[in-house]
Amino acid sequence: YRGLVLFTLLLAAVTVLTTLYAPILSGRGVDLIVGQGNVNFPALGKIAIQFGVTVCVTSICQWLMNMVNNRITFQVVRDVRAQAFAKLQILPLSYIDSHPTGEIVSRVIADVDQFADGLLLGFTQLFTGVVTILGTLGFMISIRPGIALVVVLLTPLSFVVARFIATHTYSYFRQQSETRGEQTAFIDEMIGNQKVVKAFGHEQQNVERFDEINERLEKCSLQAIFYSSLTNPCTRFVNNVVYAGVALAGALVCVACGGAGFTVGSLSALLSYANQYTKPFNEISGVVTELQNALACASRIFQLIAEPPQTPDAPDARVLKDAQGQVEMKDVSFSYVPDRKLIEALNLSVKPGQHVAIVGPTGCGKTTLINLLMRFYDINDGQITVDDHDIRHITRKSLRGAYSMVLQDTWLFSGTIYENIAYARPDATREEVIEAAKAAKIHHYIMSLPQGYDTVITDDGANISKGQKQLMTIARAMLVNAHMLILDEATSNVDTRTEVQIQQAMRRLMRDKTCFVVAHRLSTIKNADLILVMRDGDVIESGTH
């Protein structure tokens, strides 16, 4: 936003110049009041008019400058948030899986807000402060260079104070930001799982854990505020020293000159400039302190933005069209952590239209296998092919578009039931959505609701049951009607009677499609063409039921 920045700099310069011109006018006015009965009222009237115009120009420029600064700040904040959210869409799932959701949310929301506050202060006070310092110094030199020298000699005290405070506040503000993120993550986690907390009677332990984080946040916040609050008294002390120095030196010069060459009006103008000269140091020191907080928060959000994205599609990546569903895994090896092996030299061949069930104990690698097929994670070694094409040479979008997927963890967003089912295919007609809902045996329930398909789902479907949420996600998958289907414990939240109905619909859906089913229920897998039994990342048995 270079244009806006240049405009606000221009407005700052005009504001400062008009502000600094006012003491000259007041000084001239003082010199026109010579004594009792000896006042040049006509000239004083002209000065009063000039003074009024100057004040009006200053006010208008300040108002415009504040508007421009707000626009710059919140446009930058909008862009930073947009970049952060866009980066979240292309980050590898390993990053999302390894960071608490609340901590990421804290970076994008709270840290950006703190950054905005510092940025706004920087624009509104830093620019005008610097221009004011330079302008007042110039005017003082033009009035009396010797007295201006006194001001210049005392100025470094302000820089020493500001530097001392800035170096001490940054680390505390960063610690504060990190602890706030930890607290947000904990609150998010506990609110989202309050039923489990109450079921196991962990309310008191949670309060104690929260208090511990809260106390740490209090301590680092107090330390940050303590050092930042030193700014005002310290800089005011320096300001008073400078003001006293100018007053003493000016009075001595005025007495020595006897009013010749350096009048009382000139002294009053100098004192006014001395006051204006020191004021920005007070503001800038405060801005520097606030900027430490802003920079600490900015470093966290920019750290997120700078995270390496997922490996981009290969330059020669092709778009997978009309997939037949032939899937092969050749000597595939994968582990989430380098020193902890999970899948080693796994081989699997699935023919088009084959129904494959994957079973085994928890942690054996069933869901990991699904993550590799969808390329949520890239394999460490070996090769996975779809229709004889290495999936690393297929665009992710087209690969994932070739699958319909239903997960055990259902996800519905805030919106209507229609929008949630149509999420898989935004271009689907209402009739197609209804047909998918009928196939998933959820249409009757939807129509029993007051608004039917226009019923709004809130808070991840908190107003409907788990089973109904599962049916809606199945309807969403049915709407895609892709060539390959992945079901990861898709009927875990459905009653036995409904499960039979869904399986009938599923059999119609899976006809002539390659299907991977992760399940524990025997009823879900007994009709599979191939059952893979996994343990510790290996297929130890394979065959029919």
Side-chain angles (χ1 to χ4, degrees):
Y1 302 100
R2 290 186 184 89
L4 289 175
V5 172
L6 289 172
F7 185 47
T8 195
L9 283 172
L10 177 65
L11 289 170
V14 174
T15 301
V16 171
L17 287 173
T18 52
T19 303
L20 296 180
Y21 185 58
I24 291 179
L25 293 174
S26 64
R28 289 175 184 170
V30 169
D31 286 338
L32 292 173
I33 306 171
V34 179
Q36 186 174 357
N38 190 7
V39 179
N40 190 345
F41 282 106
L44 201 59
K46 291 179 182 178
I47 290 175
I49 292 170
Q50 289 178 326
F51 195 88
V53 171
T54 303
V55 169
C56 287
V57 171
T58 304
S59 300
I60 292 168
C61 287
Q62 280 183 331
W63 176 69
L64 285 172
M65 185 174 65
N66 287 334
M67 281 186 62
V68 173
N69 290 342
N70 276 299
R71 181 174 288 275
I72 294 170
T73 299
F74 292 109
Q75 283 182 334
V76 168
V77 167
R78 177 199 63 194
D79 294 347
V80 169
R81 278 212 176 104
Q83 285 183 41
F85 190 77
K87 176 54 72 77
L88 287 173
Q89 307 310 304
I90 60 172
L91 279 176
L93 277 177
S94 56
Y95 179 89
I96 307 297
D97 291 342
S98 61
H99 288 77
T101 305
E103 199 268 343
I104 297 174
V105 171
S106 178
R107 289 193 190 201
V108 179
I109 304 298
D111 285 345
V112 174
D113 279 339
Q114 293 291 322
F115 172 57
D117 292 341
L119 197 63
L120 188 58
L121 268 176
F123 276 121
T124 53
Q125 295 183 6
L126 201 58
F127 291 160
T128 53
V130 171
V131 177
T132 300
I133 290 167
L134 296 174
T136 49
L137 199 58
F139 276 106
M140 281 192 286
I141 290 171
S142 68
I143 295 171
R144 201 75 185 183
I147 298 175
L149 183 63
V150 173
V151 175
V152 172
L153 291 174
L154 292 173
T155 296
L157 280 173
S158 289
F159 290 114
V160 171
V161 169
R163 181 173 176 79
F164 172 79
I165 294 170
T167 52
H168 281 76
T169 51
Y170 178 79
S171 60
Y172 290 123
F173 276 124
R174 183 172 178 83
Q175 188 180 346
Q176 180 191 34
S177 182
E178 290 171 351
T179 310
R180 188 170 53 235
E182 183 185 350
Q183 188 183 62
T184 306
F186 181 76
I187 294 169
D188 177 72
E189 190 176 38
M190 290 306 106
I191 291 175
N193 299 278
Q194 196 60 214
K195 289 179 182 177
V196 179
V197 171
K198 290 184 181 297
F200 290 96
H202 267 257
E203 294 93 338
Q204 187 57 38
Q205 290 93 323
N206 283 353
V207 170
E208 290 170 4
R209 170 68 177 145
F210 179 82
D211 287 344
E212 186 270 327
I213 299 173
N214 214 23
E215 283 175 14
R216 277 194 285 120
L217 181 60
E218 178 204 14
K219 286 178 182 176
C220 60
S221 297
L222 281 174
Q223 286 172 321
I225 294 298
F226 170 75
Y227 279 106
S228 64
S229 64
L230 289 174
T231 305
N232 208 326
C234 290
T235 51
R236 282 188 183 280
F237 173 76
V238 175
N239 294 352
N240 290 333
V241 170
V242 172
Y243 190 84
V246 172
L248 181 62
L252 291 173
V253 171
C254 193
V255 170
C257 293
F262 189 68
T263 63
V264 175
S266 299
L267 177 58
S268 70
L270 262 179
L271 287 173
S272 180
Y273 283 134
N275 200 28
Q276 289 188 27
Y277 175 82
T278 53
K279 186 181 176 184
F281 282 102
N282 194 19
E283 291 176 349
I284 289 172
S285 298
V287 168
V288 167
T289 303
E290 190 66 33
L291 280 176
Q292 298 308 306
N293 185 16
L295 290 171
C297 294
S299 68
R300 280 165 47 81
I301 187 66
F302 288 131
Q303 194 177 50
L304 170 63
I305 292 173
E307 281 289 332
Q310 65 185 3
T311 308
D313 291 330
D316 60 343
R318 58 173 293 166
V319 175
L320 184 64
K321 295 180 179 178
D322 299 322
Q324 299 304 305
Q326 181 178 337
V327 180
E328 288 191 52
M329 304 182 84
K330 303 171 185 176
D331 297 321
V332 169
S333 297
F334 173 78
S335 61
Y336 292 103
V337 183
D339 57 349
R340 291 178 60 187
K341 295 180 180 178
L342 181 58
I343 293 176
E344 287 189 85
L346 176 64
N347 290 283
L348 175 65
S349 180
V350 181
K351 296 175 183 177
Q354 202 167 19
H355 182 178
V356 180
I358 307 164
V359 299
T362 301
C364 68
K366 302 187 297 295
T367 300
T368 299
L369 200 63
I370 300 303
N371 286 338
L372 298 180
L373 289 172
M374 293 286 283
R375 210 183 162 197
F376 291 145
Y377 286 82
D378 280 324
I379 58 176
N380 301 133
D381 199 12
Q383 187 183 48
I384 300 176
T385 64
V386 174
D387 295 349
D388 296 323
H389 300 296
D390 190 322
I391 63 171
R392 286 171 294 192
H393 298 288
I394 298 172
T395 62
R396 284 187 178 88
K397 186 174 182 179
S398 66
L399 173 68
R400 292 166 186 169
Y403 286 95
S404 292
M405 190 172 189
V406 180
L407 300 175
Q408 180 178 6
D409 297 324
T410 57
W411 177 72
L412 299 175
F413 58 87
S414 296
T416 64
I417 290 175
Y418 170 80
E419 289 169 340
N420 270 276
I421 296 175
Y423 189 76
R425 265 184 61 208
D427 60 335
T429 64
R430 197 172 186 88
E431 289 72 24
E432 288 174 320
V433 170
I434 291 171
E435 283 302 313
K438 286 179 178 177
K441 308 299 181 183
I442 189 66
H443 173 72
H444 179 72
Y445 167 74
I446 295 171
M447 295 308 295
S448 69
L449 298 172
Q451 282 83 39
Y453 282 85
D454 295 318
T455 301
V456 176
I457 295 173
T458 58
D459 193 21
D460 193 23
N463 52 341
I464 58 176
S465 72
K466 285 268 187 182
Q468 288 153 354
K469 286 169 63 177
Q470 192 82 71
L471 290 169
M472 286 182 196
T473 59
I474 291 170
R476 181 191 292 165
M478 287 181 165
L479 185 64
V480 177
N481 197 24
H483 297 283
M484 294 180 286
L485 187 64
I486 290 176
L487 306 172
D488 189 354
E489 292 285 358
T491 57
S492 59
N493 293 317
V494 178
D495 64 86
T496 308
R497 184 165 177 261
T498 306
E499 183 185 9
V500 172
Q501 294 175 321
I502 290 176
Q503 284 175 349
Q504 292 171 355
M506 284 291 187
R507 277 195 287 273
R508 291 197 301 271
L509 176 69
M510 292 187 287
R511 192 176 299 136
D512 301 325
K513 293 182 177 64
T514 305
C515 186
F516 295 89
V517 180
V518 175
H520 290 126
R521 290 186 182 183
L522 178 62
S523 58
T524 310
I525 63 171
K526 65 181 181 181
N527 295 320
D529 299 317
L530 177 66
I531 299 174
L532 304 178
V533 183
M534 295 189 70
R535 185 172 66 196
D536 300 328
D538 294 322
V539 175
I540 58 170
E541 286 186 76
S542 65
T544 62
H545 169 58

